[in-house]
Amino acid sequence: MPRFLITRVASGLGVLLLVCLFTYLVFFALSPDPAVQICGKNCTPEVIDQIRGNLGLDQPFWTQFFHFVVGIFAGRTYGEGVGAVECAAPCLGYSFQSSQAVWDMIIQRLPVSATIAVGAAVLWLLAGLAGGLLSAVKEGTFLDRFTTGLTLTSMSIPNYVLALVLQYVLVVKLQWLPFPQAVAFADDPGQWFANFVMPWIVLAVGYAAAYTRLTRANVLDVLRENYVRTAYAKGLAQPLVWRRHALRPALTPIVTIFGMDFAGLLGGALITETVFGINGVGKMAADSIARNDQPVIMGVTLLAGFLVVVGNIVVDVVYTAIDPRVRVNA
Amino acid sequence: MSTPLLRATNLVKEFPVLGTGGLLRRPDTFRAVDDVSFEINAGDTLALVGESGSGKSTTARLAARLLDVTSGTVELDGEDVTGLGRADLRRFRSEVQVVFQDPYSSLNPRHTVERIVTAPLLYQQRSIPGGARAFTRSLMERVGLDPDHSQKYPAQFSGGQAQRIGIARALAVGPRVVVCDEAVSALDVSVQAQVINLLRELQREEGLTYLFIAHDLAVVRQIATRVAVMTQGRIVEEGDRDAVFDAPQHEYTRKLLDAVPRIRPEWERERRRNAALAAGASA
Amino acid sequence: MTLLQVRDLTVTFPTPRGPLDAVRSLDLDLEPGGALGIVGESGSGKSMTSLAIMGLQPRAAQRTGSVRLRDQELVGLSEAELRRVRGDRIAMVFQDPLSSLNPYYTVGLQIEEAYRAHRPGTTRRVARRVAIEALERVHIRDAARRVDHYPHQFSGGMRQRVMIAMALSTEPELLIADEPTTALDVTVQAQILDLLQEIRRETGTGLVLITHDLAVVSEVTDHIVVMKDGVCVERGPVEQIFTDPRHAYTQALLDAVPRIDDEIGALRAVTAGGAGDAAANDKKDGGPA
């Protein structure tokens, strides 16, 4: 493993620990007493104290934080005796409201969220790159101006509005799409696709617009580079000049941004999943916020942080592969 | 002469090498300036010449206190200025000023000439003698600019004129030493000649002292009184201008001088003769 | 037969204030194996001339006149026909070798691609051998290994050698070098100029050298064209231009050149024809493009 990767992973772990500490600190300060929540309605102060002792809530902050971090790697047990709950590694906390470990709740919903995220990413990459390239090739023409106008419009529509409009038009009015029902891909690919196509579009539209503009700007910049002039002076045909000398330099920065955007998708999924009533990680987070289910919110926050850190490292690795200048010279 | 006006002794500047440091490991260092000493007497021009990477510009920046030395001392008029704090540095800046290579990028494009040339005085919280307008006008006249243009912006001037603004800004505080860091290198030959003439004129009339950084040896021959040749962070030869140009001692100096393209001297002599004949004929 | 014959070459740009000639009614002549210097200050139109010869002027510009390479007229050729000339019969070397080479590809690939563009059906192995030989010809040591290096792994002078190797790989009849040494250190400049001379001697390639540096043209070329504001103000054999310049601008330019041999009192300022400091033509580089 190259040295820089070790450094990156190490600093990534450091960042994650800080994220952990910060979120834990916030929830530690803001959290309603879990003991009260567990205790339910007819509760006496004595019982609450007992629960608190059981869960270690009477211990100092650092001790609790330490247990939390250890729990992520080794798992932990909340409480003692009959009422004890197991939380296997990786233990991101335990939701006493749902009587379930946060990690299990996330894992159940992750496939759905991942489907939405990957589908949307594919969609916006294709649309953004194609739109940007087309716009750059036809710079200054009607098509270019039209694309620019379209991207500006798309970027200014909030995605929950778009979601509601799409749902109304495509499902209710035109009836091009069936009402969503839970099906697995293997059972009915058509229905599966129909279920996901709207969330994909809604999540992808804003990114697609941004990527169109970015691609267009990058390609036009690169076309002004001296080495493109050199390529023409060598007698290369325009398609080859574009393909070899313009595209690769123009698209390299997009890799970076794509990595970051993809890693940060959880926030977008929160709105999209909620609007379409899809039971993914995003909707779970939204519901937990409504219910004030602290451990779940915290677990999702940590997951988001983890994805961003991993995304960054992946981007760095990919970047060294595609840009020879950042490769370490022998 | 007793004390030189500007003296640098055993200057060393090291830069960290990017990407070599770690959390606990100190980065490798690159020694850009390696034990450089020189003196400039009042009214003289010392030219530091060398190729890219020779350390000449870094040396100039150390001498002008734009960079902190790794070790060594800079003295102005016998006073050690190496460790000056903020307030004292301000006083130093009114004695030593810098003119940079690219006039456009070293002048704020959103400020008028008046604002640009009076800014150094304002930073130093000094009053502007005779008011900003009159002060700017006289300064512009000194550097050969039309004083009526004091409310214009840098982009409205040509390259040579913009460099004159840079010189005017340097002169505003009434410095004794001006460090010219490749100050005429970006200019076309016709404009370059005018700026060189201006610098010489200012020196003759006002007794300025120059530290002149250049890679162009022909330019250096026109302006320097003393020459120091730098390569790889060190001065390899220093001497009076004509001695260095006519009888270079160090192998590197000879190599450098040999490499300079030149117009054949016999062609040059013939051209002068022809020009004189033509002038005589038309007279 | 004349290698390059340019007649009445004009490059016009549309501007809000009406059409502007970056190059106007320019004539050039170059015999096979000869070296022609085009000298001028920033904005003189000298770089635009070199691009216009190749048909590489910016799309907004209009080019008229005649450019003949031996017996072939280049103005009016289709893109496809022009491509067969570019890089094969006329090759170019630019000012800044770092930005003129694509940082994403090895120098070998960039040379191979120039060669293969004009020799369809060449295998990669043959092209690679051509690339290594081209690097060897410009005296890059250890060429077989260096061929796989990227541009950033070369020094400035070495990069310009790579550019020259690339230009020579197709054995062009004409090499246009646009300020090939301006970005280089003086000792490296001397080496590159020597290399250009050596190539001319050994291959008989014609050379058009575009530069602002009068001393450089005086050493390298045999004929000179002096340009100012898009127009040729004076032309002639190098010795005549340097010993008996007729045009006031040429005279003033020569007076303004700082000499390394001698301090010559006040350098005479260029004023003839309004080329002085106050004129707008000492803006940075490149003409109105």
Side-chain angles (χ1 to χ4, degrees), chain A residues 226-227 230 233-234 244-245, chain C residues 99-100 102 105 110 113 118:
Chain A
N226 284 341
Y227 54 75
T230 305
K234 285 197 275 198
R244 192 178 284 162
H245 290 281
Chain C
S99 68
S100 297
N102 193 323
Y105 301 104
Q110 297 185 60
E113 140 188 288
H118 301 287

Side-chain angles (χ1 to χ4, degrees), chain C residues 269-285:
Chain C
V270 177
T271 47
D277 193 2
N281 69 338
D282 59 346
K283 292 264 165 56
K284 303 212 82 181
D285 206 36

